[in-house]
Amino acid sequence: MRPIAAAPARMPGEGEACASAVGEAGPAVGGVARAPGMGEVRPVGTGVARAPGTGARQAASDVTRTSTTDKPRAATTDTPRTPSAHEPRFTSTGTNRPPATREPHPTTPPRPPLRSLLFVPGHRTDWLPKARAAGADAVVLDLEDAVPAPDKPLARARVAEALAEAAAEPAGGMALFVRVNPLGDWTAAEELRAVVRPGLAGVVLPKVHTAVDVRFADRLIGWCEHERGLPAGTTALVPLLESARALHDAYDIAAAAPRVAYAGALTAPGGDVERAVGYRWSPQGTETLALRSRVLLDVRAAGAPCPVTGLWTDIADLTGLRACAEQNRALGYEGMMAIHPTHVPVINEVFSPTPEELDHYTRLVAAVESAQRDGIGALTFEGRMVDEAMAETARVVLARHAHG
């Protein structure tokens, strides 16, 4: 395989350059773009790619320009128009436009709920047995912050080996994700080529700012899937919302591609989000409660499945971890990211229904269905009024946890 940065990468059996997979001139994410048919990479200060010497605007639907500011903004599948005085105005990206829509892809597989996603440095894949022993639903093999710069080539090689081993194992085991480096240059694209392969559950994409970043990553991943012979949409995409702009645009980001899943607000102390927003972290989480709630609602409204949150960084404080996890579960999150194997059992327990809860749901469904056969829609069950809506919620929980 030739490095993407050295020459235009080509899909097997086709003569089109890699740029064709991401638009005629390729979206300019992270300040680089490739002109059609050219081998060089050149910086683009405005974030919109132009072919050298042509002055033509990018043809792809990722970005458009306004006639007055000539600054890029996210495009939509609908034709922009000026709303009437009685219509709501949507301003999530600073422009009046209809909301983003998320079109389902016919080959996108269902994403299983994940209670715990444990980070493991990419150059320490020998820690994977510890993650399995802890009971992690998924591991995030990290090629970004957890790996020193000199060890990144080694980490990439070891991650590729771990994925190959996972592909040879029976399905249904611990899922493997990979956090790549930000898509600021073609080095990160080469990482995608190395890790998008059988055995990979999803790509965790850091430093996401707008929906344009997600659409760019979606196209690159789709091209890599094609190269590996994988069905389109096989690989999940987990955008990390680590800037104020990304948190503000959570709906658009979650709706940007059908492969987006497991998105949510990560509010660890001292990290990118605290620096971007300016809050002062506390163990009680009161300063981020509204933020986590709004991002969760945006992700749900966009249709992205299985939102997760995190992180709890105090390794020894399992009591504080449990309180944090319980608060996130009460909000509606389905799992948390973790940094230490000792956190996994606590997280799994919090994000799983108890046997008593499952038995309660089983009895509730039976009572409602029995009443419906007698022509009764609502009834009193164990001291509370229940009807079909409560029964359907119970069925979802029972089906998810394979009970009854």
Side-chain angles (χ1 to χ4, degrees):
M1 274 181 209
R2 291 180 300 173
I4 290 181
R10 298 179 182 274
M11 291 186 285
E14 296 192 26
E16 298 178 1
C18 178
S20 66
V22 293
E24 179 63 22
V29 176
V32 297
R34 187 180 294 276
M38 303 290 289
E40 77 277 9
V41 177
R42 69 185 185 87
V44 180
T46 63
V48 176
R50 294 177 180 269
T54 64
R57 289 182 297 177
Q58 179 179 345
S61 60
D62 283 318
V63 291
T64 59
R65 289 177 178 272
T66 62
S67 59
T68 56
T69 64
D70 201 37
K71 293 182 179 180
R73 62 179 174 86
T76 68
T77 56
D78 301 320
T79 302
R81 62 183 179 85
T82 303
S84 68
H86 302 289
E87 291 181 303
R89 292 177 178 265
F90 303 96
T91 58
S92 62
T93 57
T95 58
N96 293 329
R97 60 180 183 79
T101 57
R102 173 178 171 141
E103 296 296 333
H105 195 285
T107 62
T108 301
R111 310 297 181 191
L114 299 174
R115 300 166 299 174
S116 52
L117 296 88
L118 177 63
F119 277 93
V120 171
H123 62 308
R124 296 308 309 265
T125 53
D126 56 311
W127 291 355
L128 286 175
K130 294 181 180 179
R132 289 190 180 91
D137 288 347
V139 157
V140 180
L141 293 167
D142 194 9
L143 295 178
E144 195 207 13
D145 290 344
V147 180
D151 292 330
K152 286 187 182 291
L154 173 64
R156 186 192 305 181
R158 288 186 174 176
V159 166
E161 292 174 0
L163 293 171
E165 294 174 1
E169 297 174 354
M174 184 175 65
L176 295 185
F177 290 72
V178 176
R179 178 165 74 169
V180 297
N181 283 279
L183 293 177
D185 55 38
W186 289 103
T187 300
E190 290 175 355
E191 288 182 351
L192 290 178
R193 295 190 74 186
V195 304
V196 175
R197 56 189 300 158
L200 179 71
V203 169
V204 178
L205 183 64
K207 309 298 189 289
V208 170
H209 296 290
T210 70
V212 174
D213 298 338
V214 172
R215 287 193 285 269
F216 181 45
D218 174 54
R219 287 172 174 166
L220 287 178
I221 293 171
W223 179 78
C224 294
E225 288 173 337
H226 178 89
E227 185 178 46
R228 291 285 186 179
L230 296 171
T234 297
T235 310
L237 177 59
V238 186
L240 297 185
L241 312 179
E242 298 178 292
S243 68
R245 173 67 183 272
L247 292 162
H248 181 270
D249 291 359
Y251 174 84
D252 288 345
I253 288 170
R259 70 173 76 247
V260 173
Y262 310 110
L266 304 184
T267 54
D272 294 317
V273 176
E274 180 174 338
R275 184 173 65 254
V277 177
Y279 60 76
R280 292 186 176 181
W281 185 89
S282 70
Q284 296 76 27
T286 52
E287 69 288 339
T288 62
L289 181 61
L291 174 65
R292 285 176 284 138
S293 299
R294 191 188 64 77
V295 169
L296 175 68
L297 181 60
D298 284 346
V299 170
R300 291 289 193 188
C306 308
V308 301
T309 184
L311 293 154
W312 184 262
T313 59
D314 190 331
I315 296 175
D317 186 6
L318 300 185
T319 300
L321 167 66
R322 180 177 294 276
C324 176
E326 288 175 347
Q327 185 184 75
N328 287 319
R329 176 64 190 93
L331 290 178
Y333 284 99
E334 297 184 19
M336 279 183 62
M337 294 185 174
I339 62 167
H340 197 270
T342 59
H343 290 185
V344 170
V346 175
I347 291 173
N348 284 351
E349 181 182 341
V350 170
F351 287 94
S352 300
T354 65
E356 293 75 18
E357 288 172 327
L358 293 175
D359 289 340
H360 170 81
Y361 287 137
T362 300
R363 297 194 305 273
L364 188 154
V365 171
V368 170
E369 292 178 350
S370 176
Q372 289 172 344
R373 288 192 292 270
D374 295 332
I376 300 172
L379 68 150
T380 301
F381 172 75
E382 298 183 1
R384 294 187 178 185
M385 190 282 293
V386 298
D387 57 17
E388 176 58 26
M390 290 75 169
E392 183 59 25
T393 299
R395 291 188 195 101
V396 169
V397 174
L398 294 171
R400 175 168 293 177
H401 295 276
H403 181 84

